[in-house]
Structures are given as structure tokens and as C-alpha cells.
């Protein structure tokens, strides 16, 4: 069985602060994929990034960066110089060959960026 | 613009009534999914369909039913057998079965309240 843990239920920061959202996963699969999705107040989830288990390179996209570490089974997400528009619920998700690539979501982290 | 349309955005029903949530996509995607989201919880998979006229139960299918008669449509019926139907329901689609590998596209959701 696979599992995703987002220990931070809610985080509140002031605009321009950096913030890291934690994601720890459990899986027995050798081949698996990790995702981050953003859910703004409008409700729909928006895909942010995907990482496969064979690619541990960190990735940066503008103010967003992701740190994938297989040694600690973590896939953390950092927002640099946060903005009010970053306020949303962020979900980490995992899929693997053992689950026929069905997604398992964490419970999400509500990020509030205050002006 | 291509996307997923869920209607209505808010739905109110009396206990004991069946209710059908609509999901339409014009992305020409083969696979479609229904997820349930409860406050402070991750997304849980109700049903999914990888191709027209075929669908499979997800992790919490009891009390729900679906049909997939057309590629673009995947309605979800919440039956009176669902013990706790009040929730936020999200429909998603992917190009094919690789939604757990590539990415899912989500609709804006329907918030169902049963009293």
C-alpha cells in the first residue's frame, strides 16, 4: 500500500517570506511518480509538477522549487518570496506500478499568505 | 477553450434522495475520474473509467454509481445508500490510463449538501 503524509495542516506566512511544504511518502514500488497539485479557492486542482522515482534532480520553476530525496522518502515544495496569490491548498500525490498508477493524495496543506 | 465542466457548483438535497452530478469534458480524453474531498482530507477515488462503456470502482465506491455512455460525459449518482454524502466532488480526466503518470485535469467541483 502506498501512503502520502503532509504533516503541516496549515501554514500562515507574510508576503515575501519563503515557505516550504513537506511531503513524505511510503511505497514498495521501484517505479513511482510524485506530484504536487494546487487547489485555489475556486476549487479545481491545478497540476504543478511530476517527478519519477529515477530522477532525483531538484527542479526550479520561477519562485517554485522542489527537493526530491529518495533517502528520506520526501518530496518537499518551496515557494520563494511568497505572494498573496499563492494562497491555496497544496496536495502532494503518489502513484506507482503496484497500484496500477492510481493516485494517492496526501491530506493537503492550506497555505495562507498575508499581505 | 478545452476543459472540464461540472454542474451545478452547489447542490442541495434531502436525505433519502438520489442525486446526479454532471461532468463533461471537451479535451478528447479517454479516462475520467470522480474524487471525493472532505474538509482536511485528501482526495479519495470513487470511480474511474479508462474508456467508453467501461468503469471500475475506486477506493470508496459504496453508495455511488456511474455511467460512461459517451466519451465526453461521466455522470456520478449519489444514491440514498451513501451514508455520508455531504462533500465536495471533483471530476477529472486524463489522456488515457496514464493519468497517474502524466497528470490529471480537474473540473471546478460540485459541493453537495444533504440534509
Amino acid at each position: 500500500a502506498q501512503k502520502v503524509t503532509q504533516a503541516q495542516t496549515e501554514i500562515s506566512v507574510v508576503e515575501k517570506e519563503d515557505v516550504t511544504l513537506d511531503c513524505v511518502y511510503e511505497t514498495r514500488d521501484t517505479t513511482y511518480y510524485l506530484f504536487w497539485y494546487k487547489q485555489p479557492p475556486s476549487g479545481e486542482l491545478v497540476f504543478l509538477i511530476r517527478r519519477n522515482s529515477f530522477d532525483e534532480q531538484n527542479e526550479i520553476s520561477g519562485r517554485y522549487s522542489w527537493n526530491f530525496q529518495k533517502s528520506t522518502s520526501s518530496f518537499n515544495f518551496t515557494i520563494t518570496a511568497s505572494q498573496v496569490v499563492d494562497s491555496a491548498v497544496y496536495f502532494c500525490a503518489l502513484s506507482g506500478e503496484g497500484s496500477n498508477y492510481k493516485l494517492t493524495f496526501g491530506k493537503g496543506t492550506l497555505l495562507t499568505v498575508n499581505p | 477553450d478545452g476543459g472540464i465542466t461540472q454542474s451545478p457548483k452547489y447542490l442541495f438535497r434531502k436525505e433519502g434522495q438520489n442525486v446526479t452530478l454532471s461532468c463533461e469534458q471537451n479535451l478528447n480524453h479517454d479516462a475520467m475520474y470522480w474524487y471525493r474531498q472532505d474538509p482536511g482530507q485528501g482526495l479519495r477515488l470513487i470511480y474511474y473509467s479508462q474508456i467508453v462503456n467501461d468503469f471500475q470502482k475506486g477506493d470508496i465506491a459504496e453508495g455511488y454509481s456511474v455511467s460512461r455512455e459517451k466519451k465526453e460525459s461521466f455522470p456520478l449518482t449519489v444514491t440514498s445508500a451513501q451514508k455520508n454524502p455531504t462533500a465536495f466532488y471533483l471530476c477529472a480526466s486524463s489522456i488515457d490510463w496514464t493519468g497517474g503518470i502524466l497528470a490529471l485535469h480537474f473540473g471546478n467541483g460540485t459541493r453537495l449538501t444533504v440534509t
Side-chain angles (χ1 to χ4, degrees):
Chain A
Q2 49 190 35
K3 183 179 179 181
V4 176
T5 301
Q6 295 180 254
Q8 305 150 308
T9 304
E10 296 186 34
I11 300 176
S12 182
V13 299
V14 177
E15 208 169 15
K16 297 185 182 178
E17 285 186 23
D18 298 347
V19 58
T20 295
L21 310 182
D22 297 333
C23 174
V24 174
Y25 63 92
E26 296 176 29
T27 181
R28 295 181 180 177
D29 296 330
T30 303
T31 302
Y32 56 89
Y33 296 84
L34 291 160
F35 300 79
W36 277 96
Y37 282 86
K38 173 182 180 179
Q39 185 180 39
S42 55
E44 84 282 14
L45 272 73
V46 177
F47 167 77
L48 295 178
I49 191 172
R50 176 197 63 162
R51 259 288 174 267
N52 73 57
S53 51
F54 301 107
D55 181 3
E56 284 191 77
Q57 282 192 354
N58 291 332
E59 180 155 339
I60 297 174
S61 176
R63 295 184 297 106
Y64 295 171
S65 62
W66 290 270
N67 183 357
F68 176 27
Q69 291 195 340
K70 289 178 73 171
S71 60
T72 56
S73 297
S74 65
F75 186 43
N76 296 338
F77 173 29
T78 298
I79 301 175
T80 303
S82 60
Q83 300 177 0
V84 173
V85 293
D86 296 326
S87 297
V89 180
Y90 291 87
F91 289 98
C92 181
L94 165 70
S95 73
E97 53 192 347
S99 65
N100 200 27
Y101 298 105
K102 286 188 295 181
L103 281 170
T104 297
F105 285 85
K107 294 186 177 182
T109 297
L110 172 61
L111 173 65
T112 302
V113 181
N114 298 298
Chain B
D1 287 337
I4 299 176
T5 301
Q6 291 187 243
S7 61
K9 190 170 180 64
Y10 299 95
L11 192 53
F12 298 89
R13 280 295 182 270
K14 294 288 188 184
E15 196 173 326
Q17 293 179 339
N18 292 355
V19 59
T20 298
L21 282 59
S22 169
C23 177
E24 303 279 330
Q25 56 100 356
N26 60 3
L27 299 166
N28 200 34
H29 285 176
D30 282 329
M32 297 186 75
Y33 310 78
W34 274 106
Y35 287 90
R36 171 179 171 141
Q37 183 180 9
D38 294 284
Q41 301 294 316
L43 277 67
R44 292 182 290 169
L45 182 63
I46 305 172
Y47 268 97
Y48 63 102
S49 168
Q50 294 182 339
I51 200 164
V52 176
N53 292 323
D54 185 50
F55 50 82
Q56 286 82 40
K57 292 181 179 180
D59 300 319
I60 55 166
E62 185 175 351
Y64 300 98
S65 66
V66 294
S67 63
R68 187 84 189 279
E69 298 175 0
K70 298 186 297 182
K71 186 175 185 177
E72 58 270 21
S73 179
F74 191 41
L76 172 74
T77 297
V78 184
T79 75
S80 56
Q82 169 49 233
K83 296 180 180 179
N84 189 16
T86 295
F88 188 56
Y89 291 88
L90 283 156
C91 179
S93 71
S94 60
I95 293 175
D96 52 27
W97 67 272
T98 60
I101 298 177
L102 299 177
L104 296 178
H105 298 256
F106 283 86
N108 286 346
T110 292
R111 190 167 298 280
L112 173 64
T113 302
V114 177
T115 57

